[in-house]
Amino acid sequence: PLDVRELANAALRKHPEQRTPVLALANYEILLQDYSGAIAKLKTIIQSKPSIPSAYANLCLAYARTGQWSELIELVPKLPEGTYQFPNLWIALGNYFSAQNRTDDAISCFVRALDIFSAEPEALQETARLLFTSGHLEAAKETSERLKTAA
């Protein structure tokens, strides 16, 4: 099987000015839960080409996954147009609000992620969990059913 890292590095050797292979590597590192590597790559992308909304959304997600809340909150006002179209941004914000015990705000963010991509598993799981813990049992059950069909 082809290794994503090998492919991206080959593309970078051929076209070092391109940011797409670096973004692919950062996304892959997020999947592998190598958040420090992803954060470093995403910061590099943003510094060299600050108009890539997906880089910002994924950087927000990596910050959220590592509990770097102040970095996440500092980044939000700098988000370029288009970043709000990415579910990862809303998942990151939902995790932030959840960590702050702001359940209604967290649910709103996860629902926004679901408005963008209705089968987003983390958004479904977190929405169901938060609805359940806040006593909205029927809504939690409905969301859990959606999670089963999305999987």
Side-chain angles (χ1 to χ4, degrees):
L2 293 174
D3 183 312
V4 171
R5 287 183 175 152
E6 288 177 28
L7 288 172
N9 284 324
L12 278 173
R13 283 190 296 277
K14 200 170 192 179
H15 302 284
E17 75 286 353
Q18 294 294 318
R19 297 294 92 199
T20 304
V22 180
L23 185 58
L25 279 171
N27 293 343
Y28 186 63
E29 288 174 341
I30 288 172
L31 288 174
L32 296 176
Q33 299 179 359
D34 176 6
Y35 300 116
S36 61
I39 288 169
K41 285 175 182 62
L42 292 165
K43 283 181 170 181
T44 298
I45 291 168
I46 290 168
Q47 288 171 349
S48 67
K49 194 161 186 175
S51 62
I52 301 177
S54 62
Y56 284 86
N58 289 335
L59 182 57
C60 287
L61 183 64
Y63 282 151
R65 295 266 167 82
T66 56
Q68 296 182 53
W69 305 125
S70 59
E71 289 84 349
L72 170 63
I73 295 308
E74 286 175 21
L75 187 59
V76 171
K78 301 172 187 172
L79 298 177
E81 189 175 325
T83 308
Y84 294 94
Q85 299 172 24
F86 289 89
N88 284 350
L89 170 66
W90 296 104
I91 290 168
L93 293 173
N95 284 314
Y96 167 77
F97 287 123
S98 182
Q100 306 301 314
N101 294 315
R102 292 173 55 182
T103 302
D104 291 342
D105 292 329
I107 290 171
S108 293
C109 289
F110 291 123
V111 167
R112 181 69 180 104
L114 292 169
D115 288 344
I116 298 166
F117 179 55
S118 64
E120 188 357 275
E122 184 176 351
L124 285 166
Q125 182 178 351
E126 288 302 305
T127 301
R129 182 184 68 79
L130 291 168
L131 287 168
F132 180 80
T133 59
S134 61
H136 301 286
L137 304 182
E138 192 58 38
K141 181 180 175 185
E142 290 172 13
T143 305
S144 293
E145 291 300 319
R146 284 179 58 195
L147 181 60
K148 289 178 190 175
T149 59

